[in-house]
Amino acid sequence: MSEQDTSQQDKKNQKHKAAMEKQKAKVDARIEEASTERGVALLLTGNGKGKSSSAFGIVMRALGYGQKVGVVQFIKGQQLSGEEMYIKDHCPQVDFHQMGTGFTWNTQDRSGDIAAAEKTWAIAEPMLKDGSYDVVVLDELTYMLAYKYLDEDTVLNALKNRPVEQSVVVTGRGGGSALQDIMDTVSEVKEVKHAFKAGIKARQGVDL
């Protein structure tokens, strides 16, 4: 490397170092400002793939810290998923429940779906009152609100009034602005492409 090339490389390194120092200062300042210690409410929404997968990533993270976790899945349940099989086989400390009716477009039974939703909520609601749970995941709960299978005020009040140290993760498309308003973090997963639309079957370990 020539002397000129070395000089240019040194300038790039110095510029990069200065930019990273500035970025670190901003991050450190935000960390310093975050002084409130409590559980968080996280909504994973949007029409893209990965909402439930992200929620189960949080489950694994919580288990890494030895925390108590509850998982309640609305809608899903007719077809075994990789998450369900792994948790049942390897994570007996996770309280895992499923509504078990499958998707609403399969059942085509509104009355039956409402009854199933209410029965499943009767399992989820006590978790949101139990301070021994560090993390509660309510997978696909948004559909229960969108289809009006559950009373919105009842659900929102339970989410808002949960124990202060408890974190809750809600997944699913939609759910309404009132739900978004009470959540601390709202992340939207956007679909850019999806293999299914190209005729590619769902894949075990990735989709199931």
Side-chain angles (χ1 to χ4, degrees):
M1 184 180 294
S2 68
E3 184 176 336
Q4 182 178 4
D5 289 339
T6 300
S7 176
Q8 289 178 345
Q9 187 65 39
D10 287 343
K11 288 180 180 179
K12 288 181 180 179
N13 290 339
Q14 290 172 4
K15 184 177 181 180
H16 175 78
K17 185 174 185 298
M20 292 302 100
E21 287 177 345
K22 186 176 181 180
Q23 179 66 22
K24 183 179 184 303
K26 289 181 180 179
V27 172
D28 289 345
R30 292 194 189 102
I31 292 174
E32 188 67 25
E33 291 171 359
S35 58
T36 303
E37 184 70 38
R38 66 170 176 80
V40 297
L42 171 61
L43 173 62
L44 300 170
T45 188
N47 64 356
K49 170 181 166 51
K51 298 180 290 293
S52 296
S53 300
S54 180
F56 278 100
I58 293 172
V59 170
M60 296 299 108
R61 177 174 289 171
L63 292 178
Y65 286 103
Q67 295 181 349
K68 183 176 180 180
V69 179
V71 177
V72 179
Q73 286 192 307
F74 295 86
I75 295 184
K76 296 173 182 174
Q78 285 190 324
Q79 181 176 1
L80 288 176
S81 65
E83 307 98 86
E84 178 187 1
M85 290 185 286
Y86 184 85
I87 286 176
K88 287 185 175 180
D89 289 344
H90 302 286
C91 306
Q93 70 273 40
V94 176
D95 287 337
F96 189 94
H97 301 273
Q98 290 180 319
M99 192 163 80
T101 58
F103 294 100
T104 55
W105 50 86
N106 288 330
T107 62
Q108 301 175 15
D109 178 4
R110 178 175 171 79
S111 297
D113 286 342
I114 290 174
E118 291 175 343
K119 183 178 179 181
T120 306
W121 177 249
I123 295 171
E125 189 172 26
M127 291 184 179
L128 296 173
K129 296 179 180 179
D130 188 344
S132 69
Y133 287 95
D134 298 288
V135 177
V136 175
V137 174
L138 304 176
D139 190 34
E140 312 287 11
L141 175 65
T142 61
Y143 292 98
M144 304 300 101
L145 301 179
Y147 291 129
K148 301 187 186 304
Y149 290 174
L150 296 175
D151 179 70
E152 182 180 58
D153 288 339
T154 298
V155 172
L156 297 187
N157 286 332
L159 293 172
K160 288 188 290 186
N161 296 319
R162 71 190 192 281
V164 68
E165 294 294 329
Q166 185 186 92
S167 294
V168 62
V169 182
V170 175
T171 75
R173 299 185 185 189
S177 59
L179 176 62
Q180 291 194 16
D181 288 344
I182 69 166
M183 306 304 277
D184 298 303
T185 300
V186 179
S187 294
E188 183 175 1
V189 182
K190 179 181 178 181
E191 180 180 308
V192 178
K193 293 176 66 177
H194 199 298
F196 183 71
K197 292 183 178 179
I200 302 173
K201 290 185 176 180
R203 189 76 171 172
Q204 287 185 349
V206 177
D207 302 295
L208 305 174

